[in-house]
Amino acid sequence: MTTVERLKVVLANSYTLYLKTHNYHWNVTGPSFKSLHDLFEVQYTELAIAVDDLAERIRALDSVAPGSFKEFLELTTLTEAKTGISADEMLTDMVASQTVLITSIKDALVSAQEDDDEVTAGVLGDRLSVHEKARWMLKASQ
């Protein structure tokens, strides 16, 4: 798989996580509602910016960025949001989803480094830092 193909997986995973995080933001309930509602909002807002940056990097590499639900579902390695689950189950799912996204970022980062594509490596390194912190924040909320 090429670096740009790996970037498309990162984009699809990021968009899927954006949608999942927004879903959980809307639907979280329980004693930790306010803190999780706010945490999910911070994370989905950051992901909204990230998907644009990733898509623009794909375009800069002379490839077409996927942009439909169908394309994202074909490319993503994440599962969609679960319905009717508790706040604790949401946190568990979010930690697992961040881990999957981190793995796809690392995969694309290695490919970019092997290609001597410093710009893509920089974008992915920045994403990796954000998602490792996001995962930590979610784990700390469990």
Side-chain angles (χ1 to χ4, degrees):
M1 195 181 310
T2 66
T3 297
V4 76
E5 289 168 334
R6 287 176 169 89
L7 266 176
K8 289 178 182 184
V9 171
V10 172
L11 174 59
N13 283 348
S14 298
Y15 196 87
T16 302
L17 185 57
Y18 163 79
L19 193 58
K20 179 184 287 196
T21 307
H22 217 151
N23 179 311
Y24 291 167
H25 165 79
W26 291 328
N27 293 302
V28 67
T29 60
S32 56
F33 164 78
K34 177 68 173 141
S35 62
L36 291 179
H37 183 78
D38 292 348
L39 177 60
F40 294 157
E41 183 174 4
V42 167
Q43 291 188 1
Y44 80 68
T45 300
E46 196 285 325
L47 280 160
I49 296 165
V51 296
D52 192 55
D53 292 343
L54 291 163
E56 288 178 358
R57 185 66 197 142
I58 291 167
R59 292 297 297 137
L61 294 171
D62 292 326
S63 190
V64 175
S68 69
F69 288 123
K70 181 181 179 198
E71 289 173 300
F72 288 148
L73 283 172
E74 289 171 357
L75 290 165
T76 191
T77 56
L78 290 175
T79 59
E80 292 187 272
K82 299 173 184 174
T83 57
I85 63 174
S86 69
D88 287 340
E89 291 169 313
M90 288 177 182
L91 283 169
T92 298
D93 188 31
M94 291 292 292
V95 169
S97 295
Q98 287 286 351
T99 300
V100 170
L101 179 52
I102 287 167
T103 298
S104 68
I105 292 169
K106 287 179 177 179
D107 182 50
L109 179 57
V110 167
S111 183
Q113 290 168 334
E114 288 173 354
D115 290 346
D116 292 322
D117 182 348
E118 295 301 320
V119 175
T120 301
V123 168
L124 291 167
D126 291 345
R127 298 297 333 133
L128 184 59
S129 175
V130 168
H131 291 288
E132 286 178 342
K133 182 176 179 180
R135 181 176 60 183
W136 161 63
M137 306 268 299
L138 292 161
K139 279 184 174 182
S141 299
Q142 288 182 304

